[in-house]
Amino acid sequence: MSENGKILEIIADLMPEALRGVDRLQSRWDAYSIDESLAVPDAQARDVLGRLVDRLKENYPFWHPSYAGQMLKPPHYIASLAYFLAQQINPNNHALDGGPATAKMEVEAVAELAGMFGYGSWLGHLTSSGTIANLEALWVARSLHPDKAIAFSSESHYTHRRMCEVIGAATVEIPVDRAGRMDLDALREELGKGSIGTVVMTTGTTALGAVDPIDSALELRREFDFRIHVDAAYGGFYRLLAEDDRWLDATSAAAFRAIAETDSIVVDPHKHGLQPYGCGSVIFRDPSVGRFYKHDSPYTYFTSDELHLGEISLECSRAGAAAAALWATLQCFPLQAEAGLGPVLRKTRQAALDWADLIEGTPGLRLVLEPELDILAFYSVGEGKNVSGISRLTHRIFAELMNDPDHPLYLAKLNLKPGMLRARDDLVWDARTVTVFRSVLMKPEHLAYVPRLHARLIEQLKNLGGV
Ligand SMILES: *Cc1c(COP(=O)(O)O)cnc(C)c1O
């Protein structure tokens, strides 16, 4: 049995009792017959499920530590079980009446998220994704400052620009410094023009995992009047490791701690919160922004106690099962540094630090940046310092590793422009961009696997003359 098979066994073990529980709660009502139009013959069901599993072969092994490419991993089995069980009832968290139990779970889970970021008062809810969560935050930003622009960095998620188009908001792109963080001198200059209402800051950029200096941006608020929205879709849960400087750089830790003073935040439990897809969240520090949402009752007060999820969400139908899954997961993995989710993130962070050390210690290999979270970018100059050659090597090694018939290994690739390659100005820019490796080490199992990832990389590089 594969290592992952052990998890499937745990699921098979826990499932019967839980299903009996669902049956008990469903049998409180009068007996009735499931309509015959819904029946599927057993043989057909088995056949279809068998073919489905067969078709799922056409995937990369997202659950396995040899997959160290994009931000992908399966949910925790507690989340999967909770989702499946709640789905037997299929509550809809668009309104209290659509799912009273899961609406309460959603409020409790979002309270935990708000507490993690240090928001005292708050208004927030789960969303189907980080994109929708950001859309909602930007929509509120535009509602508060209809005549002002929304600023984001050139390394921010590509959906900010798109969503600003959707809501018809003017945008300003702020350049980044060599660490991939928003350049605050450039921001100050733009703020000086008086046209910016909200600045989007990212804690964990998608490409490089860079953390924008929120603490320093807060100081700018003494001079200029603007809101800060934090896009922590990927990195938000790293707030758990930011109480001191043991796990994160002092600058990133300070940025995470400063989130408490910002105006809104987006975090994706379906990234680092062990959830299946369909679970983002948006939280506002000022509950009175609830006034911008169309709601049924003019007498509703938007405080955390009187939150009506259906009235404060841009989306209508939302899976109550997603709230159940997050709630159940947080029961097992509380948002703490020393227990629960914290130790999981410490391992993913350590995996990145370990691999960064190995890369720095290998002649011919270079890091693009010291990792701030658990995302690494690196390249080989073994074939020379022309960026066209570096890109060629990246493409070839990427393919060789992935197509290895015995021990395939999956990385991702990233295109960078000049300026993002630290103080390494010795590269010869014979092309407009350079393609480097990118690796997201978001599974705790990556920690033990890093030496193998590195050994396989080195082996391929040697084969192709890259070190
Ligand atoms: C993933 C991500 C998003 C988009 O979130 P989805 O859940 O994929 O829609 C936005 N911003 C950042 C920083 C991200 O990492």
Side-chain angles (χ1 to χ4, degrees):
M1 166 156 304
S2 71
E3 196 61 25
N4 198 63
K6 290 181 191 165
I7 290 180
L8 300 180
E9 257 186 5
I10 295 173
I11 292 175
D13 202 37
L14 291 170
M15 193 57 115
E17 195 180 321
L19 288 179
R20 280 195 296 276
V22 173
D23 180 48
R24 270 195 302 279
L25 84 84
Q26 291 184 334
S27 31
R28 270 184 48 211
W29 284 267
D30 290 347
Y32 73 104
S33 303
I34 302 286
D35 194 80
E36 60 188 10
S37 63
L38 297 172
V40 176
D42 186 60
Q44 189 187 12
R46 286 174 198 283
D47 172 60
V48 169
L49 293 179
R51 284 191 286 128
L52 164 75
V53 172
D54 197 50
R55 290 192 67 160
L56 289 176
K57 278 185 199 150
E58 192 185 357
N59 263 304
Y60 300 111
F62 306 126
W63 63 92
H64 194 277
S66 66
Y67 184 86
Q70 310 284 0
M71 296 168 170
L72 282 155
K73 66 172 181 178
H76 194 276
Y77 63 84
I78 291 291
S80 303
L81 279 164
Y83 200 106
F84 181 83
L85 293 170
Q87 205 178 33
Q88 301 320 300
I89 295 148
N90 207 23
N92 186 337
N93 278 17
H94 76 104
L96 265 182
D97 290 353
T102 47
K104 283 185 191 140
M105 290 180 210
E106 178 166 341
V107 174
E108 287 172 40
V110 176
E112 298 281 325
L113 297 175
M116 171 172 75
F117 294 116
Y119 280 12
S121 59
W122 56 274
L123 180 88
H125 58 88
L126 300 180
T127 61
S128 57
S129 72
T131 304
I132 295 296
N134 276 315
L135 166 65
E136 199 158 318
L138 298 180
W139 170 69
V140 165
R142 200 223 46 196
S143 302
L144 284 164
H145 296 292
D147 305 323
K148 294 201 165 175
I150 293 172
F152 41 76
S153 90
S154 53
E155 282 291 304
S156 70
H157 201 263
Y158 69 92
T159 48
H160 291 295
R161 179 179 298 283
R162 184 188 282 182
M163 289 305 166
C164 283
E165 278 176 27
V166 172
I167 59 175
T171 58
V172 177
E173 187 174 296
I174 309 291
V176 295
D177 62 17
R178 281 178 176 272
R181 303 173 187 146
M182 182 181 279
D183 180 342
L184 289 198
D185 291 331
L187 176 64
R188 164 190 290 274
E189 208 175 303
E190 285 296 337
L191 287 168
K193 297 177 188 167
S195 61
I196 294 177
T198 296
V199 178
V200 177
M201 304 200 78
T202 308
T203 51
T205 58
T206 313
L208 294 165
V211 178
D212 282 343
I214 298 174
D215 47 323
S216 308
L218 289 176
E219 285 168 27
L220 284 175
R221 281 210 303 205
R222 300 210 188 106
E223 269 174 79
F224 305 99
D225 180 25
F226 65 99
R227 300 172 70 257
I228 297 178
H229 167 63
V230 181
D231 181 3
Y234 185 74
F237 289 101
Y238 273 102
R239 173 63 185 85
L240 296 175
L241 304 191
E243 273 322 312
D244 50 50
D245 301 340
R246 263 183 308 161
W247 293 101
L248 304 178
D249 293 345
T251 47
S252 329
F256 274 105
R257 290 195 296 267
I259 291 173
E261 306 297 318
T262 61
D263 298 284
S264 56
I265 185 155
V266 159
V267 61
D268 267 359
H270 70 203
K271 280 182 181 151
H272 256 307
L274 310 175
Q275 298 308 295
Y277 284 120
C279 194
S281 69
V282 60
I283 309 173
F284 298 92
R285 196 160 64 109
D286 175 7
S288 79
V289 299
R291 69 186 181 277
F292 293 117
Y293 295 80
K294 188 169 177 287
H295 55 86
D296 302 323
S297 160
Y299 306 109
T300 304
Y301 293 97
F302 295 97
T303 68
S304 54
D305 293 344
E306 297 162 56
L307 177 79
H308 290 234
L309 293 166
E311 291 175 309
I312 54 140
S313 169
L314 214 50
E315 295 173 272
C316 182
S317 293
R318 290 185 302 108
L326 180 58
W327 178 87
T329 306
L330 293 178
Q331 303 304 302
C332 302
F333 296 89
L335 299 177
Q336 292 168 12
E338 304 295 336
L341 197 60
V344 177
L345 293 171
R346 287 206 310 245
K347 291 200 172 175
T348 59
R349 168 72 180 144
Q350 191 61 49
L353 290 173
D354 284 5
W355 202 2
D357 279 347
L358 289 171
I359 288 167
E360 284 288 59
T362 305
L365 273 185
R366 290 174 171 189
L367 281 179
V368 172
L369 291 170
E370 294 295 333
E372 286 192 70
L373 301 179
D374 54 14
I375 301 174
L376 277 182
F378 53 93
Y379 57 100
S380 164
V381 288
E383 259 188 9
K385 290 175 181 163
N386 286 359
V387 296
S388 60
I390 293 173
S391 300
R392 222 167 23 246
L393 201 56
T394 302
H395 292 304
R396 277 174 62 196
I397 292 170
F398 174 86
E400 293 284 342
L401 288 171
M402 190 168 79
N403 296 323
D404 185 310
D406 301 321
H407 303 287
L409 193 151
Y410 307 85
L411 300 175
K413 293 183 279 194
L414 174 67
N415 291 328
L416 291 174
K417 292 183 191 135
M420 281 308 302
L421 290 173
R422 216 163 42 172
R424 300 283 171 70
D425 288 323
D426 58 347
L427 298 184
V428 181
W429 286 87
D430 58 347
R432 294 227 326 274
T433 61
V434 61
T435 307
V436 301
F437 290 105
R438 171 169 167 273
S439 180
V440 180
L441 299 166
M442 72 186 303
K443 292 177 284 245
E445 293 85 2
H446 276 136
L447 179 56
Y449 212 76
V450 155
R452 274 175 80 175
L453 290 172
H454 190 69
R456 293 280 297 107
L457 175 71
I458 297 296
E459 201 184 320
Q460 275 306 329
L461 282 166
K462 283 199 174 127
N463 287 347
L464 297 176
V467 283

